[in-house]
Amino acid sequence: MTETDLRIVPLSQLAGSSDWRLTLAHDRREQLLIWITRGQGRVLLNGQRRGVGTHNAIVIPADHLFSLDMGRQGVGQAVIIPEGCQVLFPQMPRLLRIREVSAMSELTVLMEAATREQAAARPLTGQAMEAHGALISVWLQRQMALEEHMPGKRNAAARLCAAYCARVTAHFRETMTMADHAAALGVTPTHLTRACKAATGRTAADLLTERVLYEARSLLTGTRAPAQDIARHLGFGSAAYFTRFIQHHTHSTPTALRRAGAGIPELA
C-alpha cells in the first residue's frame, strides 16, 4: 500500500496516544468516515456541537474543522482517504444516526471486508481497497439520500459559526484575531462569540485558539523544526510569546511537549 491508498484504522489509532489529536478543534487533509460502534460523546461538525453514539456515521470532508470527544469508552473505526486517493466520499459534513439493522449490518460487512483485505497485504491491495472504498461511498450516498437523514435547517447562529469555522481553517496561520474574522464576516466580535457559544459550547476565540494549539502540538511532536520556526509559521510575533501560549494552554513548555514526540521530518 502507498501513502495515497485508502485505509481503515481503529478510532483509538486515529487519536494516537494523545486525546488532543481528536478533542481539539482541527481539520485534516484527508477525508474521514468515522463509524461509532460503542460509547457516547460529542462532535463538533459543520459549526455545531452534537451528541454522538453507537451506530452513528460521521462524514468529515478534508479541510473541515471538527473535533470528537468519545471519552475512554468510545470504540469505532475510521476510514481514511488521503490526498491523491481516487475514492471520493460525499463532500458535505454529515452526522448519520443509523437505526435500520440492515443498514448497520451492511456497513459492518463492508468495513470488515476492507479490513481483511488491508491486513492480507496481497498484490494489488491498493486497487482492492479503492473498490471497497467505492462500495462504502455508495452506502453513504444511499443513506444520505434517505428522508430521515436529510439535514435540518440550521439557525442563524449555526450558519454564522460554520462560516467562521471555514475561515479558521483557511487563515489560522495568519496574524488574524477573532475580531478580524468577525469584521470579515460583517458582525461584531460579541455577536460572533455568542453565535459560536450557542452553536458549539465554545467561544469564537476558543475555536481559533484550539486550531492554532493543535497545529503547534503537531509540529512540536512530529517534526524537528525549531520552536522559533514553528512560532513564525503560525504567525506568532516572537518565540517567547509562542512559549507563553503553549505553557498557558498545556502547562508544559515546548521542549517538554517535544520530548513526547518522535521528532522526524523538518518543517517544510
Side-chain angles (χ1 to χ4, degrees):
M1 295 182 68
T2 70
E3 292 183 355
T4 61
D5 287 335
L6 176 149
R7 62 189 187 277
I8 298 179
V9 301
L11 186 57
S12 58
Q13 187 174 326
L14 194 65
S17 59
S18 306
D19 290 345
W20 62 265
R21 294 185 183 278
L22 276 181
T23 59
L24 287 178
H26 68 290
D27 54 276
R28 301 188 180 210
R29 293 180 177 178
E30 309 96 343
Q31 302 174 75
L32 294 176
L33 166 64
I34 297 176
W35 175 235
I36 306 298
T37 55
R38 190 179 73 196
Q40 294 182 328
R42 290 186 179 277
V43 65
L44 166 66
L45 188 72
N46 205 20
Q48 292 179 281
R49 181 178 66 176
R50 303 175 67 185
V52 293
T54 303
H55 300 138
N56 284 185
I58 309 169
V59 182
I60 307 168
D63 303 317
H64 182 89
L65 196 74
F66 82 100
S67 67
L68 177 64
D69 188 355
M70 291 297 298
R72 297 291 181 181
Q73 305 302 315
V75 177
Q77 291 177 293
V79 181
I80 303 173
I81 303 180
E83 287 183 295
C85 182
Q86 297 303 306
V87 177
L88 283 178
F89 278 178
Q91 296 301 295
M92 291 291 292
R94 296 288 290 275
L95 170 59
L96 306 177
R97 306 184 193 279
I98 308 302
R99 296 181 174 86
E100 291 291 331
V101 174
S102 59
M104 298 175 196
S105 300
E106 185 178 359
L107 180 59
T108 298
V109 168
L110 291 172
M111 298 275 275
E112 288 177 347
T115 302
R116 286 195 300 270
E117 177 63 46
Q118 179 176 265
R122 298 177 294 177
L124 303 179
T125 291
Q127 293 183 37
M129 291 300 290
E130 282 191 11
H132 286 295
L135 289 173
I136 293 172
S137 179
V138 168
W139 180 91
L140 271 177
Q141 292 175 66
R142 286 172 172 168
Q143 290 299 313
M144 290 171 69
L146 296 177
E147 185 175 351
E148 65 189 271
H149 292 147
M150 290 295 175
K153 187 176 180 180
R154 292 181 296 169
N155 60 28
R159 293 195 300 272
L160 176 58
C161 188
Y164 174 67
C165 287
R167 288 193 57 83
V168 168
T169 63
H171 303 288
F172 73 88
R173 296 183 184 88
E174 303 170 18
T175 54
M176 294 186 69
T177 66
M178 179 273 289
D180 293 331
H181 288 295
L185 291 168
V187 297
T188 66
T190 299
H191 182 67
L192 180 59
T193 293
R194 287 174 178 167
C196 290
K197 187 72 173 178
T200 71
R202 296 165 161 103
T203 67
D206 289 338
L207 292 169
L208 179 57
T209 295
E210 286 190 26
R211 184 61 188 93
V212 173
L213 182 60
Y214 181 94
E215 192 75 2
R217 296 192 69 155
S218 296
L219 292 172
L220 285 168
T221 58
T223 78
R224 290 196 184 107
Q228 62 185 11
D229 289 353
I230 295 174
R232 186 165 51 250
H233 178 68
L234 293 176
F236 285 86
S238 68
Y241 179 31
F242 175 70
T243 296
R244 290 195 298 272
F245 173 83
I246 293 295
Q247 288 179 314
H248 177 74
H249 292 290
T250 70
H251 307 292
S252 296
T253 64
T255 300
L257 290 179
R258 171 153 275 167
R259 290 195 191 106
I264 6 186
E266 297 290 343
L267 177 62

